[in-house]
């Protein structure tokens, strides 16, 4: 399992603790967050943290077919239209995710931004590489951002993109 932009590692740590038979990798580019995540990773055997740009890790470091599940929680929505090209989820990113995922692997996306949620669904449908569904919360810990947004009364949107193999 790979947490893309793991922040302080609290969600990843809870997930790794909940599922000790699986291995977990968190990617994060901000040093102060990486240090916090590493302190958590030191307490558990199945969690590692890598300081790296998320899109670079997905495109160039993760071997094809090596990831069972990606977790993308509250990606920056870059709300201004002129900044939309900075959003992480696009066709190229989803192609890289598809390549890194194992057969039947999943990209799990959680956001508080309805417009970005709709755009992610649209791009995923256009790619043709994923079966699109929604997922519940029962199997996953609550992230720091999710807790904060829930307390503010904000809606949370969940999406599960399951890898489908091309028919030959």
């Amino acid at each position: 399992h790979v947490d893309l932009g793991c922040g302080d590692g609290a969600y990843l740590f809870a997930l790794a603790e909940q599922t000790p038979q699986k291995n977990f990798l968190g990617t994060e580019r901000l040093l102060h967050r990486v240090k916090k995540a590493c302190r958590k990773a030191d307490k558990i055997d199945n969690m590692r943290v890598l300081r790296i740009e998320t899109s670079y890790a997905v495109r160039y470091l993760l071997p094809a077919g090596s990831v069972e599940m990606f977790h993308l929680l509250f990606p920056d929505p870059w709300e201004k239209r002129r900044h939309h090209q900075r959003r992480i989820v696009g066709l190229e990113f989803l192609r890289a995710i598809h390549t890194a995922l194992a057969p039947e692997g999943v990209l799990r996306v959680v956001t508080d931004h309805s417009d970005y949620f709709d755009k992610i669904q649209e791009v995923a449908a256009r790619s043709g590489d994923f079966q699109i569904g929604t997922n519940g919360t029962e199997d996953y810990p609550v992230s720091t951002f999710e807790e904060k947004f829930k307390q503010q009364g904000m809606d949370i949107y969940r999406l599960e993109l399951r890898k489908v193999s091309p028919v030959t």
Side-chain angles (χ1 to χ4, degrees), residues 23-42:
N23 291 314
F24 296 86
L25 173 67
T27 65
E28 178 59 57
R29 69 177 183 85
L30 299 176
L31 182 60
H32 70 281
R33 290 180 179 173
V34 170
K35 287 180 179 180
K36 287 180 180 181
C38 285
R39 282 194 286 276
K40 291 173 181 73
D42 286 344

Side-chain angles (χ1 to χ4, degrees), residues 14 18 55 72 92 106 119 123 135 152:
Q18 176 180 309
S55 58
L72 181 61
E92 285 184 35
V106 172
K119 188 65 173 177
V123 172
N135 60 347
Q152 294 173 1

Side-chain angles (χ1 to χ4, degrees), residues 46-83:
N46 61 334
M47 176 181 162
R48 301 290 180 268
V49 180
L50 184 61
R51 183 179 182 206
I52 194 165
E53 187 67 42
T54 293
S55 58
Y56 184 88
V58 173
R59 285 185 177 108
Y60 303 111
L61 293 184
L62 298 171
S66 66
V67 178
E68 182 179 317
M69 181 176 281
F70 282 105
H71 301 265
L72 181 61
L73 309 179
F74 301 95
D76 194 332
W78 293 101
E79 294 185 54
K80 294 180 182 176
R81 189 188 342 246
R82 70 176 184 262
H83 294 157

